[in-house]
């Protein structure tokens, strides 16, 4: 029983340390939580530290050089997906708060879609010609998606992956 308690305590300390590590990274975005409005996220992903290194090594060993190149510099990936059930106002408010915060911190908007049924915001943080973080927010009738990618992101690799996915976004790779 003591061993089990020690293991659980160790895991909790590791999770707390990982959360603190995220917040100190230059590419970190605090989206807050919308649990009080929408309940627990339908999808919640927090990958960083040793797990991120393991995934990066697995990508490098795979036969997908684009995925390996993208994963190589990443330090963390955070994703929260909430079911909106058609109640867009709280998610749009959170998106606008994040957008204002990102713009004040000199993040660069690279995609903005303002349609009646969907709103999309995509920002990058660039420092010394290196992309250090990416934030993507999507709100529509079904869901609100908040994605934060932390670490060194190679824009040339992002362009290749987006082209493979037939996403027409002009990312400046110079």
């Amino acid at each position: 029983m003591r061993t089990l308690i020690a293991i659980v305590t160790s895991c909790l300390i590791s999770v707390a340390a990982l959360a603190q590590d995220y917040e100190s990274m230059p590419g970190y975005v605090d989206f807050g939580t919308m649990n009080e409005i929408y309940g627990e996220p339908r999808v919640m992903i927090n990958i960083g530290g040793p797990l991120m290194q393991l995934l990066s090594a697995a990508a490098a060993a795979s036969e997908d050089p684009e995925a390996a190149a993208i994963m190589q510099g990443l330090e963390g990936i955070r994703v929260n997906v909430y079911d909106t059930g058609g109640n867009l106002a709280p998610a749009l408010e959170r998106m606008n708060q994040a957008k204002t915060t990102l713009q004040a911190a000199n993040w660069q908007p690279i995609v903005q879609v303002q349609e009646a049924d969907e709103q999309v915001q995509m920002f990058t943080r660039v420092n010394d010609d290196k992309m250090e973080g990416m934030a993507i927010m999507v709100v529509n009738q079904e869901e609100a998606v908040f994605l934060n990618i932390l670490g060194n992101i190679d824009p040339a690799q992002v362009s290749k992956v987006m082209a493979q996915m037939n996403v027409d976004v002009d990312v400046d790779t110079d």
Side-chain angles (χ1 to χ4, degrees), residues 78-105:
R78 301 170 44 242
V79 181
N80 284 322
V81 179
Y82 296 91
D83 289 321
T84 63
N87 181 13
L88 304 182
L92 290 172
E93 181 179 333
R94 185 60 48 94
M95 177 189 278
N96 287 328
Q97 290 169 348
K99 177 182 174 181
T100 299
T101 301
L102 291 169
Q103 288 173 325

Side-chain angles (χ1 to χ4, degrees), residues 2-3 11 18 23 27 33 35 46 54 67 69 73 88 90 93 105 112 133 165:
R2 287 182 186 174
T3 304
C11 288
L18 181 59
E23 293 174 10
T33 179
N35 295 5
N46 285 313
L54 177 66
L88 304 182
E93 181 179 333
Q112 293 186 350
M165 296 169 51

Side-chain angles (χ1 to χ4, degrees), residues 53-72:
Q53 293 169 359
L54 177 66
L55 292 174
S56 181
S62 76
E63 294 184 20
D64 188 352
E66 284 84 13
I70 288 175
M71 297 289 293
Q72 183 178 10

Side-chain angles (χ1 to χ4, degrees), residues 32-46 78-84 143-146:
T33 179
M34 291 189 291
N35 295 5
E36 67 278 0
I37 300 158
Y38 298 118
E40 291 290 320
R42 178 169 42 92
V43 176
M44 193 253 332
I45 301 170
N46 285 313
R78 301 170 44 242
V79 181
N80 284 322
V81 179
Y82 296 91
D83 289 321
T84 63
E143 61 189 15
V145 179
F146 294 87

Side-chain angles (χ1 to χ4, degrees), residues 53-141:
Q53 293 169 359
L54 177 66
L55 292 174
S56 181
S62 76
E63 294 184 20
D64 188 352
E66 284 84 13
I70 288 175
M71 297 289 293
Q72 183 178 10
L74 296 185
E75 297 178 28
I77 299 172
R78 301 170 44 242
V79 181
N80 284 322
V81 179
Y82 296 91
D83 289 321
T84 63
N87 181 13
L88 304 182
L92 290 172
E93 181 179 333
R94 185 60 48 94
M95 177 189 278
N96 287 328
Q97 290 169 348
K99 177 182 174 181
T100 299
T101 301
L102 291 169
Q103 288 173 325
N106 295 320
W107 283 62
Q108 302 300 311
I110 58 173
V111 174
Q112 293 186 350
V113 177
Q114 306 288 332
E115 295 182 353
D117 61 342
E118 184 171 59
Q119 305 243 346
V120 178
Q121 300 288 325
M122 184 174 180
F123 287 83
T124 61
R125 178 182 171 102
V126 178
N127 188 12
D128 294 330
D129 295 330
K130 291 186 179 184
M131 195 181 308
E132 297 177 325
M134 184 177 290
I136 302 169
M137 302 169 281
V138 178
V139 176
N140 61 37
Q141 292 293 324

